[in-house]
Amino acid sequence: MVGRIPILGISAFVFICILFSLGYNHADNFNAKPLRPYEYKSKAPDGTFDPLDFYFNTLYKPSVKPTSSSYKPSDAFAWPQSNDVYWKDNLKKRFCIIDLDNRPLNGRHQIFGQDILSWEHGREVHGLSAGILNHWIYSKIHGYKYYFVQIDEPKDRRASWKKAVIMTEILKKHDACVFIDSDAIFPHLDLPFEWLMNYWQINPDNNSLALASDPDEDYNKDRWGRIYLNTGFIVAQNNAKTYQILDAWNRCADDGEPYANCTEFRKNSPGRPTDQGGFGTYIRYDYFDDIKELPCTEANGFPLSGTDCHGQFIRHLWTGKDDHIKVEVGTQTPGPYLELLHRQFLAEKSSFHLTEKQLLYGTP
């Protein structure tokens, strides 16, 4: 069952073609003005077929409950649920998904640019923008709160070090949150994250953070030979210990104690990560019992990565940012859906887009 991709996206495309043959093949039907955020109805205001309502509420509606005994994509391969279920209800807005970036991403065919993403210009579609769109889509389907935070460039370290302070501020408003890199995606749009937290046995009482291990390669190991945890996907619980961990991580690369040598991870260089190196070399050991390690093959990598990490539940396409990620997201957004969804994403931008200063200080 490792690496198999559900055929739901192909089925969606076939269904759309059938709709076209029944009279929905007029371009006007797919160029309707976006609805207001979270206001999807069974039909468009003029009574015609609403493709966004169909997408969010029928095509990719949640296929299991958080407590379901198994998850079977396309009813073909089953992953059994654990006997210990901690998350019994859908968290809705009590759960959040966080994107952050120091790049404006407003160039041609990028997520905040003037060009609407379209598979008619697939070669030009920005791969990381497709990843960001996937995060927003997944949030919409399950009713989670989505954030995109435009961060400032630090003066003395790589921008990825901002994760800890941004997560700290946002997590205060939720029971749990996920930070996810733009080159990582949710491959199963129908699968609630609460089910995954139960499957991975993420206990809200004693698992402050959960991260996936990296592939078993020498360049992915700390100075003691232990495999790094990948900080491109983090599940965080709103508890006191989580804030202690995030604070320690945020200060790790500062001058002085308690991690005097962590400054070597301020900026990346060949064979040496940055925030991930600091986290794996220092923070993980200080809070070992509070950080849960997730299997690499389930929460990292992708099927064609050439490693044992196949991304069964979280795909992290480290070497597929310009091609593999577009294939993955393309199966989820076939035909005109990429354009429709990107238009709606931009229409709702004011509901999720924040600058670092707005988030931390309440200033423009």
Side-chain angles (χ1 to χ4, degrees):
M1 63 184 169
V2 175
R4 291 185 172 88
I5 302 175
I7 63 171
L8 194 53
I10 298 174
S11 301
F13 184 78
V14 172
F15 187 88
I16 293 166
C17 292
I18 293 173
L19 289 177
F20 282 0
S21 68
L22 293 176
Y24 294 104
N25 54 342
H26 298 291
D28 291 345
N29 287 326
F30 288 95
N31 288 313
K33 293 181 180 179
L35 299 175
R36 291 191 296 274
Y38 318 117
E39 196 174 55
Y40 296 103
K41 301 177 181 178
S42 58
K43 291 185 179 180
D46 61 0
T48 60
F49 170 71
D50 183 351
L52 284 178
D53 174 78
F54 171 72
Y55 186 91
F56 285 108
N57 297 320
T58 300
L59 184 59
Y60 283 114
K61 67 179 181 180
S63 61
V64 294
K65 297 179 180 179
T67 57
S68 293
S69 60
S70 66
Y71 172 63
K72 296 191 286 186
S74 301
D75 203 29
F77 309 99
W79 280 281
Q81 182 60 277
S82 170
N83 292 327
D84 297 323
V85 175
Y86 303 110
W87 307 90
K88 298 182 179 180
D89 301 307
N90 186 289
L91 294 173
K92 297 293 185 181
K93 294 297 183 290
R94 290 180 290 138
F95 184 80
C96 83
I97 294 175
I98 304 169
D99 272 316
L100 61 83
D101 212 301
N102 62 311
R103 297 163 293 188
L105 299 176
N106 59 1
R108 298 216 56 193
H109 306 287
Q110 294 186 342
I111 193 71
F112 296 116
Q114 294 184 353
D115 299 299
I116 298 299
L117 303 181
S118 171
W119 295 128
E120 291 185 2
H121 306 284
R123 184 182 295 274
E124 287 77 29
V125 170
H126 183 234
L128 298 181
S129 293
I132 292 168
L133 188 64
N134 164 272
H135 307 164
W136 172 80
I137 290 171
Y138 184 74
S139 302
K140 295 284 291 182
I141 289 170
H142 299 281
Y144 305 143
K145 175 62 178 173
Y146 174 72
Y147 295 90
F148 184 98
V149 183
Q150 191 74 51
I151 60 174
D152 300 324
E153 183 73 32
K155 294 181 179 180
D156 66 345
R157 65 198 67 185
R158 192 165 179 248
S160 58
W161 276 102
K162 292 286 186 76
K163 293 173 190 173
V165 67
I166 297 299
M167 291 177 63
T168 295
E169 190 63 28
I170 292 177
L171 185 60
K172 297 173 183 176
K173 307 171 185 177
H174 304 276
D175 292 354
C177 287
V178 160
F179 164 80
I180 186 167
D181 274 350
S182 55
D183 63 348
I185 65 168
F186 301 94
H188 304 289
L189 293 178
D190 61 318
L191 180 62
F193 204 83
E194 297 89 348
W195 189 95
L196 268 179
M197 290 195 289
N198 285 327
Y199 174 82
W200 283 326
Q201 289 291 276
I202 297 176
N203 188 327
D205 296 326
N206 54 34
N207 297 138
S208 293
L209 299 180
L211 304 86
S213 59
D214 258 341
D216 189 356
E217 303 287 352
D218 288 342
Y219 54 79
N220 284 330
K221 296 178 180 178
D222 64 22
R223 63 188 59 173
W224 297 283
R226 190 177 184 89
I227 298 173
Y228 282 128
L229 299 180
N230 193 297
T231 57
F233 169 68
I234 306 171
V235 186
Q237 309 296 325
N238 187 344
N239 60 48
K241 186 57 69 73
T242 299
Y243 295 110
Q244 293 179 30
I245 298 171
L246 292 175
D247 180 63
W249 188 22
N250 185 51
R251 294 184 292 107
C252 185
D254 292 347
D255 292 323
E257 298 297 330
Y259 307 112
N261 295 323
C262 189
T263 53
E264 69 176 291
F265 296 108
R266 283 180 178 175
K267 297 184 178 181
N268 62 340
S269 62
R272 186 181 65 196
T274 53
D275 62 285
Q276 181 169 300
F279 186 93
T281 304
Y282 298 101
I283 309 305
R284 171 171 56 177
Y285 291 102
D286 279 0
Y287 299 93
F288 195 84
D289 293 335
D290 304 293
I291 299 171
K292 190 174 187 68
E293 183 174 328
L294 304 177
C296 184
T297 194
E298 294 182 347
N300 201 358
F302 58 104
L304 298 178
S305 65
T307 72
D308 291 333
C309 303
H310 298 96
Q312 288 175 342
F313 295 119
I314 298 294
R315 297 250 159 95
H316 202 159
L317 300 104
W318 341 278
T319 57
K321 304 175 194 291
D322 295 319
D323 40 39
H324 291 296
I325 195 168
K326 290 196 285 188
V327 173
E328 294 279 353
V329 178
T331 65
Q332 300 173 338
T333 58
Y337 269 116
L338 177 62
E339 181 177 345
L340 282 167
L341 290 162
H342 188 212
R343 287 185 186 277
Q344 189 66 33
F345 174 90
L346 292 175
E348 298 188 17
K349 180 181 175 182
S350 62
S351 71
F352 61 74
H353 188 280
L354 292 167
T355 65
E356 179 182 339
K357 290 184 176 65
Q358 286 173 327
L359 177 67
L360 301 181
Y361 311 111
T363 59

